[in-house]
Amino acid sequence: MKCEHCTRKECSKKTKTDDQENASVDVPSLALENGEKGEFHKLADAKIFLSDCLACDSCVTAEEGLQVSQQNAKDFFRVLNLNKKCDTSQHKVLVVSVCPQSLPYFAAKFRLSVTDASRRLCGFLKSLGVHYVFDTTIAADFSVLESQKEFVRRFRQHSEEEPALPMLTSACPGWVRYAERVLGHPVTPHLCTAKSPQQIMGSLVKDYFARRQNLSPDKIFHVIVAPCYDRKLEALREDVPTALHGSRGADCVLTSGEGGTELGTAGASGPSSSEVTTGPPRARLQETSSVPHAPSLSVGEVVQIMEQSDLVVKDAAVDTLFGGLKEEEVRRHDGASSDGYLVHVFRHAAKQLFDEDVGEVTYRTLRNKDFQEVTLEKNGEVLLRFAAAYGFRNIQNVVLKLKKGRFPYHFVEVLACAGGCLNGRGQAQAEDGRADKALLRQMEGKYADVPVRPPETSAHVQELYREWLDGADSPRVREALHTVYQGPGLPAASRDIKW
């Protein structure tokens, strides 16, 4: 079975029919129930994951496939070893940025709080030779704030003749890539133009932080630790290196629990996988330095090394972009398993558009637990109707209704992974490839215990708007924090919002 956009004669994807909760559809889809024979019923019948769809020929070019295959820790070790050599011209500043949804994975693995797990991970990375460890929450702050402002603009400009709504979130790279490569127009004009946290973090590290440290962007090697594989593809986006002098914002993306069945092939003259995975980390680093095809090391394997390491690791607070300041405590946004775009945009819109102060946001579950609705009502009238759609079976229904012009929502938070970012395929999988539900419950509990900090209250973000971007409404904001989208057979299709 193949999706209709596949160019292969035979599909190499797994159908994964035995994972009922995360399969695209295992029963007749909403489209079929309503007699709507759209393009998506073919995907539903095939039970193909969105993550699988991203791996077909029509979405990933041969060049991209090669680049994605290099998104592992091989270069990470290469830089660590180069930094130990005498030739300082080859040295690089090694920076690791960790997504907040990845930290609960480490917390669950080590039975720590999220803040303590962050300090343990930071200390371990620095013991290996990493110079700076950052939390990407500050980048998510920018992404959420820009999404808030864009929604208000779209709402005020919306009309039947020139529809600017609904606005669909753009933080999930799996969803964005699917929208660009497969759906195209009329879906892409509805994507929020705010860059994702990963893209913004790349600009912060390679532009703002580089200038603050008097470094050329290419002298920084930036590693992202993220919960899903699609972040690797996101790092290859063509428009990311704007203002970075050709240097990509992220040089390497590792998933929190990325696990290979083997560490890889070391080469004929190099150590075997079993040899490489024994002994202290420092010894292994030296072994790989002279091996042309050294084994890759994922963060899941870093967890294993941390558990088995005989190194004395001193916990360390996460760095900030502002010199010697440290992040003493991890903070998160008000979202159950994501960066909370729905909640923050909803509250902002209610205040800005209707002067309504919203405290606790009440979700109403609709067809399944991954499709929820939030409304703002006054005097019996619905003023705002938002939704969260997680997982491909919900995405296909959202897109189908949007294409048919029967879409009741002003805003939808869209995530490719059922269960949200915490359930990313890069960290919440058991050995048999299915979702590890017990681990996911632990991570959800750990994440819920993290204190919430609304992005509007971040003094660092306001300082960066002034110092880095020349103000919150300057032309630099659009260049640094916003993007445009491509569609199949169409030019960039970002809607012309009046800035």
Side-chain angles (χ1 to χ4, degrees):
M1 293 180 288
K2 303 187 296 180
C3 66
E4 70 171 358
H5 295 279
C6 188
T7 59
R8 293 181 184 273
K9 292 182 179 180
E10 293 183 3
C11 186
S12 61
K13 303 167 188 168
K14 299 177 183 178
T15 56
K16 303 182 182 179
T17 56
D18 52 355
D19 190 346
Q20 303 296 328
E21 182 176 350
N22 293 315
S24 57
V25 167
D26 227 343
V27 296
S29 69
L30 178 63
L32 293 178
E33 290 173 1
N34 294 339
E36 298 169 345
K37 294 288 185 178
E39 64 185 271
F40 291 91
H41 77 276
K42 299 179 183 179
L43 295 178
D45 292 342
K47 305 182 184 69
I48 293 174
F49 282 101
L50 180 61
S51 57
D52 292 329
C53 289
L54 298 180
C56 74
D57 284 344
S58 66
C59 285
V60 182
T61 66
E63 181 183 0
E64 288 172 332
L66 177 61
Q67 290 175 312
V68 168
S69 71
Q70 296 169 347
Q71 289 282 333
N72 53 48
K74 181 178 178 180
D75 277 353
F76 176 68
F77 282 112
R78 178 182 61 80
V79 173
L80 282 173
N81 287 304
L82 282 176
N83 286 349
K84 301 177 188 295
K85 305 295 183 182
C86 296
D87 184 3
T88 57
S89 66
Q90 299 296 314
H91 289 192
K92 291 196 176 188
V93 174
L94 192 51
V95 175
V96 175
S97 297
V98 184
C99 297
Q101 291 80 25
S102 293
L103 291 173
Y105 172 79
F106 295 100
K109 286 292 184 181
F110 295 117
R111 297 180 176 84
L112 298 170
S113 70
V114 171
T115 293
D116 288 343
S118 173
R119 295 174 63 88
R120 182 69 51 82
L121 177 62
C122 179
F124 178 74
L125 290 171
K126 290 195 171 183
S127 74
L128 293 179
V130 173
H131 298 98
Y132 298 95
V133 179
F134 296 134
D135 183 345
T136 67
T137 299
I138 192 167
D141 286 341
F142 277 111
S143 185
V144 170
L145 290 172
E146 291 303 307
S147 298
Q148 290 178 173
K149 292 187 289 186
E150 181 172 336
F151 177 78
V152 170
R153 285 193 294 269
R154 284 178 179 258
F155 191 93
R156 288 171 173 163
Q157 295 172 19
H158 178 72
S159 67
E160 290 188 8
E161 294 75 22
E162 296 186 21
L165 296 176
M167 188 174 92
L168 311 175
T169 56
S170 56
C172 172
W175 152 243
V176 170
R177 189 175 186 86
Y178 182 68
E180 286 187 302
R181 296 296 183 93
V182 178
L183 303 177
H185 204 82
V187 174
T188 48
H190 294 282
L191 289 174
C192 176
T193 66
K195 288 183 178 179
S196 72
Q198 176 171 305
Q199 291 172 317
I200 294 174
M201 195 68 199
S203 295
L204 282 168
V205 170
K206 292 292 189 81
D207 184 23
Y208 175 79
F209 182 73
R211 286 191 285 111
R212 191 179 178 93
Q213 298 293 321
N214 294 317
L215 292 170
S216 170
D218 60 7
K219 295 298 291 183
I220 297 176
F221 189 83
H222 185 204
V223 180
I224 298 282
V225 177
C228 74
Y229 295 103
D230 294 332
R231 298 289 177 186
K232 296 173 183 287
L233 282 169
E234 183 181 27
L236 306 180
R237 277 187 66 92
E238 294 293 337
D239 64 329
V240 176
T242 57
L244 298 184
H245 309 291
S247 175
R248 290 198 176 275
D251 298 292
C252 179
V253 177
L254 301 174
T255 61
S256 320
E258 184 178 353
T261 56
E262 300 290 339
L263 282 176
T265 303
S269 61
S272 66
S273 297
S274 60
E275 289 173 325
V276 173
T277 55
T278 58
R282 292 193 188 278
R284 287 198 292 279
L285 289 177
Q286 295 301 323
E287 286 180 309
T288 61
S289 63
S290 59
V291 181
H293 302 288
S296 64
L297 184 70
S298 68
V299 179
E301 293 153 354
V302 170
V303 168
Q304 185 179 12
I305 291 174
M306 293 173 71
E307 291 174 330
Q308 299 175 353
S309 172
D310 55 6
L311 286 176
V312 177
V313 176
K314 182 178 180 181
D315 291 358
V318 173
D319 301 296
T320 71
L321 299 164
F322 306 93
L325 293 176
K326 302 289 184 180
E327 291 281 5
E328 297 297 337
E329 186 176 24
V330 174
R331 303 283 181 172
R332 68 175 176 90
H333 292 158
D334 195 354
S337 61
S338 66
D339 281 313
Y341 285 82
L342 185 151
V343 175
H344 292 292
V345 175
F346 185 79
R347 288 185 178 133
H348 179 79
K351 182 64 176 177
Q352 293 296 313
L353 297 171
F354 304 104
D355 198 27
E356 293 286 336
D357 293 306
V358 177
E360 189 70 21
V361 173
T362 302
Y363 290 85
R364 185 165 69 95
T365 301
L366 300 180
R367 295 185 62 84
N368 55 73
K369 64 183 180 63
D370 282 324
F371 195 94
Q372 296 182 310
E373 180 181 88
V374 175
T375 58
L376 177 67
E377 301 181 25
K378 188 174 183 179
N379 299 326
E381 179 186 1
V382 176
L383 303 177
L384 292 173
R385 191 185 298 274
F386 282 31
Y390 298 170
F392 186 55
R393 63 174 174 177
N394 291 315
I395 290 176
Q396 70 170 7
N397 290 326
V398 165
V399 174
L400 187 62
K401 288 183 177 294
L402 179 62
K403 285 188 171 183
K404 290 189 172 292
R406 298 198 296 269
F407 200 77
Y409 299 104
H410 299 106
F411 175 97
V412 184
E413 181 181 77
V414 185
L415 297 176
C417 292
C421 294
L422 286 181
N423 195 31
R425 292 279 162 178
Q427 65 183 18
Q429 278 190 302
E431 291 183 1
D432 61 2
R434 299 187 185 186
D436 189 333
K437 295 182 179 180
L439 175 60
L440 180 59
R441 284 193 295 270
Q442 290 183 54
M443 290 192 293
E444 289 172 342
K446 299 282 188 182
Y447 195 65
D449 290 338
V450 177
V452 172
R453 185 193 66 196
E456 297 90 341
T457 64
S458 172
H460 286 165
V461 169
Q462 300 308 317
E463 181 178 348
L464 283 166
Y465 267 122
R466 293 190 300 270
E467 288 190 7
W468 179 40
L469 301 172
D470 303 324
D473 299 312
S474 73
R476 286 210 64 203
V477 169
R478 187 172 186 181
E479 176 188 355
L481 305 182
H482 291 262
T483 187
V484 295
Y485 301 104
Q486 304 291 328
L490 289 173
S494 176
R495 181 161 294 280
D496 186 16
I497 300 298
K498 297 180 177 63
W499 297 82

